[in-house]
Amino acid sequence: MHPQSARESCSFFLARLSAEVARLRAQPFPGHHIGPRKWLNFIQGIVDSGQAHLEESGKPGLSTNDSVHLIAEAERLGGAAYRFMQHVAGADASQIPHQIVAPFQRIVERLGINSTIFFRSEHLPNYELGTYASGKAFKTFKYATPSLIKAHDAIDWPMLIVTVPGHAMGMLPHFAVVGHELGHAIEDKIKATLDFSSKNAEIAQCKTDLHARFKTAGVPIDTAAQVKLKSITSSWFNEIIADAIGYWLGGPAFFFALCGFIQLSTKSYGIGQTHPPTDLRRQLLLQQMSSGASSFVDVFKNQTGLQIAEDTNSPGIPKCPPSDQLFAELVSKFPALDAVICTQQIEYLKVVGPLIYDSGRQYMEANCPELIYTPERLESDLTNHLDALCKLIPPIETLDVNGATPASLSTILNVGWAALLTRLDKLTAPAGKSGDATASKMERLHELLLKATELSEARRLWEEMK
Amino acid sequence: MSMQIAPYKDPGLWSVLENGVAVLKGEEMEDGHRALVLECLVSIFSEADRGASVVAGQNLLVMSGDTAAIEQFSLFFDYLAGPLGDDLPARLNEGHALLKGMAAGQVAAPELRVRTREMLEALLGQLQKAAQLEPLVPMREFSY
């Protein structure tokens, strides 16, 4: 073995990584957000540690095997740094509207999310929350550098990275989906409060039906099946918890944003190991929006004339067929084990879904009641802002018994959705623009809502400074 | 989405496992470093041990922390179910107790140290094998 050439090659790789980290550090991040910088410092620490392993590998007296082993570790560290760096792409100020960062950071803190977080965009039809929890393991390297230790300790783990779609799908009202991703960040806290005891009989029936499906499909319930069952169930729970938090934060805006986004991005059932079918999620959301004496659906109808239905802005989302047909469709493409679990857990989620929403609300009532968006708030917001927005007056502040207060992001998003769905014809078109008039109006609406977000945040900061 | 990289590509996991083997062999190590390695190992085994219980449970309620526990159990199940079979949950439980005791300063029975060390070595061997068997990234095709 000749370690020298491998060492030199790795050294060049690590030097290039350092240069790339330096370039990324020099760029501005929206809202002076420190999350990306902390992540970059961590990456630089990993690169430095890789370099330290490399230097050790060249020391005299070391056996060739030990030298090769250290080079391999340096290469693995460089590889990890390279992969981690891709998460910073799209986090700079040219990709993320700077206006949204501070309001989202405010929601993050009030929800009790203590992790270091940042936002980034990607040219993919995808919203997601990335988590990285294993940072501490990097400190166990024999030649972990002080820069790595310091960068690690500056991060509140797990590191969270919220990805949103890039420009074309980045219309402000759609950002209500971010509430779902923030819900993922507190899913374990909600799970700790789940109580399904009121539905024991229905759950027992679900279990019976599940076992029957296993039997008829000829799939053994062994450890592998149990791992898959718990894993899928856990993932599906997480999605409903995240939907619940998105809903309690954003009300109808979340419903429209989630359904509208999925309508644009896929025509599938949405069912799989990680997600329950989209039409089930949509049903659960509408169920919540329709409940209560004066529900969101009632208020929206009274204020705008639009009766919200399941497919109001998502007619293209296909409905899952009945369970036997769904199973036949799934098993033709996926392993029978997956098909059994995905088919049967739909009924289970129909039973426990509303209880998960209740737990989400209870968490927010206990920790951040001011963030819960209510039908009363919607009524006030639409009364005060919808017509004004059509006259190009952005919703910057709201009037209530306490006087004028800066508009919340939820207010801005809901007024935006109401305008988008019911008042676009009344919105003044920008003068002198050629091309699609509707698209121009939507672009104008987007700009007005961004302006509202920026000015309401400025007002909030000003009040905090007083 | 989890940004966790594949176990066989995760330098942090490699480091914890390799250092863990050294600790269980009784190799010399600076006290703080040894404590950190044991802390990471206890965390891994604790979650995996709990994951084994979650998986064995007959209820459909998924509780706080279950996702992480199942993921950690899956790490061992995916790579060691073959060699350890039905003994896996018991071995995880045994390893967890041993490492927790060592982290608390207790003297561990030599045969238990050997058993847990062999488990870590087996896992490292399987990770090595997985790394060797990973296919190259296929060429991307952009024709629509």
Side-chain angles (χ1 to χ4, degrees):
Chain A
M1 284 188 278
H2 304 284
Q4 185 57 26
S5 62
R7 186 180 304 113
E8 286 167 356
S9 173
C10 185
S11 179
F12 178 75
F13 174 44
L14 294 173
R16 276 284 175 93
L17 282 170
S18 273
E20 182 67 2
V21 171
R23 188 189 67 77
L24 291 169
R25 272 173 168 166
Q27 66 186 357
F29 293 104
H32 306 291
H33 209 31
I34 57 168
R37 296 194 188 286
K38 287 187 173 187
W39 185 240
L40 285 169
N41 290 344
F42 180 59
I43 294 171
Q44 183 60 52
I46 294 172
V47 175
D48 292 343
S49 299
Q51 194 62 48
H53 281 74
L54 216 50
E55 282 164 19
E56 289 297 324
S57 76
K59 288 202 169 160
L62 207 64
S63 73
T64 304
N65 273 348
D66 286 346
S67 182
V68 167
H69 183 75
L70 283 169
I71 293 169
E73 289 208 327
E75 288 166 346
R76 259 201 299 270
L77 283 164
Y82 201 38
R83 276 189 292 276
F84 290 164
M85 205 182 286
Q86 70 179 318
H87 302 306
V88 188
D92 61 290
S94 69
Q95 301 297 318
I96 290 278
H98 69 90
Q99 298 93 334
I100 64 162
V101 172
F104 276 133
Q105 185 64 40
R106 208 176 276 281
I107 293 172
V108 164
E109 285 158 17
R110 289 191 188 164
L111 278 173
I113 300 167
N114 302 317
S115 294
T116 303
I117 191 168
F118 68 87
F119 302 89
R120 63 184 285 266
S121 82
E122 198 171 37
H123 285 288
L124 281 175
N126 193 28
Y127 283 86
E128 66 187 8
L129 176 75
T131 59
Y132 190 79
S134 305
K136 195 170 235 173
F138 281 79
K139 290 169 77 176
T140 65
F141 276 100
K142 194 171 180 184
Y143 303 110
T145 58
S147 61
L148 175 60
I149 308 291
K150 188 178 170 196
H152 171 276
D153 292 347
I155 290 175
D156 292 310
W157 298 90
M159 184 78 208
L160 303 177
I161 301 176
V162 176
T163 301
V164 300
H167 291 298
M169 299 184 89
M171 193 182 182
L172 192 69
H174 284 271
F175 277 103
V177 179
V178 173
H180 169 98
E181 303 308 331
L182 299 182
H184 275 305
I186 53 170
E187 62 199 15
D188 266 354
K189 293 180 182 180
I190 312 288
K191 272 184 184 161
T193 68
L194 293 177
D195 178 9
F196 298 162
S197 54
S198 63
K199 298 280 184 188
N200 278 343
E202 292 95 326
I203 291 170
Q205 185 58 51
C206 291
K207 279 174 72 176
T208 304
D209 295 344
L210 174 69
H211 287 169
R213 180 75 70 185
F214 265 107
K215 199 172 174 187
T216 54
V219 178
I221 309 180
D222 53 15
T223 305
Q226 289 286 4
V227 169
K228 185 65 75 71
L229 173 62
K230 296 289 164 51
S231 176
I232 290 177
T233 306
S234 185
S235 296
W236 284 25
F237 269 34
N238 290 343
E239 290 306 315
I240 302 301
I241 289 170
D243 281 354
I245 296 303
Y247 170 71
W248 295 120
L249 281 170
F254 176 70
F255 172 83
F256 293 131
L258 182 71
C259 296
F261 168 69
I262 294 174
Q263 160 83 27
L264 265 180
S265 52
T266 177
K267 300 292 172 270
S268 85
Y269 294 141
I271 192 171
Q273 290 188 22
T274 55
H275 289 75
T278 305
D279 77 317
L280 170 63
R281 296 168 67 190
R282 197 171 59 171
Q283 279 169 32
L284 290 170
L285 274 167
L286 189 59
Q287 199 178 329
Q288 296 296 321
M289 285 174 51
S290 313
S291 65
S294 178
S295 68
F296 279 127
V297 171
D298 296 333
V299 171
F300 207 86
K301 174 87 181 350
N302 291 339
Q303 292 284 330
T304 68
L306 178 70
Q307 175 73 41
I308 302 174
E310 266 184 38
D311 61 352
T312 290
N313 69 326
S314 55
I317 292 177
K319 294 195 173 191
C320 271
S323 58
D324 285 346
Q325 187 188 333
L326 177 64
F327 176 73
E329 290 182 23
L330 290 175
V331 84
S332 70
K333 182 154 187 206
F334 303 105
L337 173 60
D338 297 48
V340 166
I341 296 168
C342 288
T343 301
Q344 291 309 130
Q345 293 307 71
I346 291 175
E347 288 306 311
Y348 178 48
L349 270 203
K350 281 182 185 168
V351 172
V352 302
L355 301 178
I356 296 176
Y357 272 82
D358 289 347
S359 294
R361 181 175 180 113
Q362 285 156 15
Y363 175 85
M364 289 184 64
E365 278 172 346
N367 296 283
C368 46
E370 75 283 0
L371 288 185
I372 298 176
Y373 195 73
T374 62
E376 295 73 32
R377 182 82 258 164
L378 177 68
E379 182 154 31
S380 164
D381 288 342
L382 296 185
T383 302
N384 291 321
H385 296 298
L386 185 53
D387 290 336
L389 183 60
C390 295
K391 290 173 183 153
L392 311 185
I393 304 168
I396 298 163
E397 60 183 22
T398 54
L399 278 172
D400 56 25
V401 289
N402 300 317
T405 52
S408 70
L409 187 58
S410 297
T411 287
I412 295 166
L413 295 173
N414 275 285
V415 175
W417 269 110
L420 196 58
L421 293 171
T422 69
R423 296 285 195 279
L424 211 51
D425 57 328
K426 294 193 169 52
L427 197 75
T428 312
K433 282 209 172 179
S434 56
D436 186 291
T438 305
S440 294
K441 286 182 176 186
M442 290 170 81
E443 195 65 55
R444 169 165 269 188
L445 179 62
H446 170 68
E447 285 163 10
L448 281 167
L449 297 173
L450 272 182
K451 183 60 73 184
T453 309
E454 183 173 23
L455 293 179
S456 67
E457 182 61 23
R459 212 191 135 189
R460 200 180 300 276
L461 285 174
W462 179 65
E463 285 194 357
E464 284 172 0
M465 286 171 63
K466 279 198 295 188
Chain B
M1 175 194 81
S2 171
M3 296 189 309
Q4 308 288 22
I5 41 189
Y8 57 87
K9 283 184 181 170
D10 184 346
L13 180 63
W14 278 92
S15 173
V16 170
L17 296 176
E18 286 179 344
N19 279 287
V21 168
V23 167
L24 290 165
K25 276 182 177 168
E27 289 179 9
E28 266 189 41
M29 197 177 281
E30 190 260 318
D31 282 352
H33 189 219
R34 183 178 181 276
L36 184 62
V37 171
L38 280 170
E39 185 189 334
C40 290
L41 277 176
V42 168
S43 170
I44 291 172
F45 271 77
S46 162
E47 289 289 298
D49 187 19
R50 205 169 76 73
S53 304
V54 171
V55 166
Q58 291 302 304
N59 65 56
L60 288 178
L61 182 59
V62 186
M63 299 300 293
S64 180
D66 281 0
T67 308
I70 294 165
E71 273 177 16
Q72 212 61 266
F73 174 70
S74 295
L75 168 70
F76 288 92
F77 183 74
D78 290 348
Y79 291 104
L80 296 181
L84 294 182
D86 293 342
D87 284 345
L88 180 58
R91 293 287 296 272
L92 286 170
N93 187 263
E94 177 186 284
H96 178 205
L98 171 95
L99 293 162
K100 207 168 140 189
M102 287 176 70
Q106 295 166 9
V107 178
E111 66 276 15
L112 287 181
R113 287 169 74 123
V114 169
R115 278 165 64 81
T116 301
R117 192 194 81 212
E118 285 173 351
M119 197 169 169
L120 295 186
E121 286 171 339
L123 185 55
L124 276 167
Q126 293 295 322
L127 292 177
Q128 181 78 42
K129 188 56 66 186
Q132 287 165 345
L133 291 175
E134 187 196 29
L136 293 179
V137 178
M139 188 179 74
R140 285 203 222 180
E141 291 183 18
F142 291 101
S143 54
Y144 288 97

